[in-house]
Amino acid sequence: DVVAVGVLEEPDVGRGGGDHAAFVEDETRDELELVGENVPLVHDARQRAWGAIGAFWKPAGGIVRGTAPADFAHAPPPGTAKLVWSYHARGLPGGATHLETETRILCADAASRRAMLAYWLVIRIPSGIIRKRLLARIKAEAERRFAQAAASA
């Protein structure tokens, strides 16, 4: 069962072509490292996705070490949840880029679903605030790089 799916969007993140998702990955590296062990799942020019398996509601996060991408094709172990977060970039007319971020969570059983739901209710608003700040930071950096490239041309 999917407990929570959150999507935040920031239109007009930047201008110009290139590997939009690599830029986002550069800007979000610190946040990914805070989670600890995360598994790269999708890496291409338009999107990045990472995942983790654990009992995220526990104080230490209960992260399952040694998780591989193939582990996301199966149900999570009992008492845990799979979490996947992603960034998707798509070009807009005029060269702008639309960026959205999404979090998906799949719980292994009813007990982990209840624990994750309680945890999500606590972190949902702060998580959204952090995500919005992150998107604003990405937008500001993209605009700075665009202005710098335009000035150099």
Side-chain angles (χ1 to χ4, degrees):
D1 294 6
V2 175
V3 169
V5 176
V7 178
L8 292 174
E9 300 179 3
E10 183 65 47
D12 300 325
V13 168
R15 302 205 176 275
D19 188 339
H20 301 287
F23 167 71
V24 172
E25 184 174 12
D26 288 345
E27 292 299 306
T28 59
R29 186 169 326 269
D30 293 342
E31 285 76 10
L32 285 172
E33 289 174 1
L34 285 175
V35 173
E37 185 150 332
N38 58 73
V39 179
L41 300 173
V42 176
H43 280 230
D44 63 34
R46 292 286 176 188
Q47 61 183 338
R48 294 290 195 264
W50 301 267
I53 298 174
F56 307 108
W57 50 90
K58 292 185 177 178
I63 302 294
V64 175
R65 304 288 175 208
T67 301
D71 296 327
F72 288 83
H74 310 288
T80 68
K82 290 192 288 189
L83 178 137
V84 174
W85 56 97
S86 59
Y87 295 90
H88 308 273
R90 65 180 163 83
L92 296 173
T97 300
H98 175 89
L99 178 66
E100 73 181 35
T101 175
E102 181 176 36
T103 303
R104 294 177 184 240
I105 302 163
L106 177 68
C107 295
D109 47 46
S112 60
R113 190 170 32 258
R114 284 189 301 275
M116 187 67 207
L117 183 59
Y119 174 69
W120 188 257
L121 290 173
V122 171
I123 69 156
R124 186 185 70 175
I125 291 174
S127 175
I129 291 168
I130 290 167
R131 207 67 75 101
K132 285 181 185 234
R133 286 183 181 166
L134 179 62
L135 288 169
R137 191 176 86 208
I138 291 168
K139 181 179 182 179
E141 178 61 15
E143 289 171 343
R144 184 193 68 76
R145 289 184 186 189
F146 178 73
Q148 187 177 33
S152 299

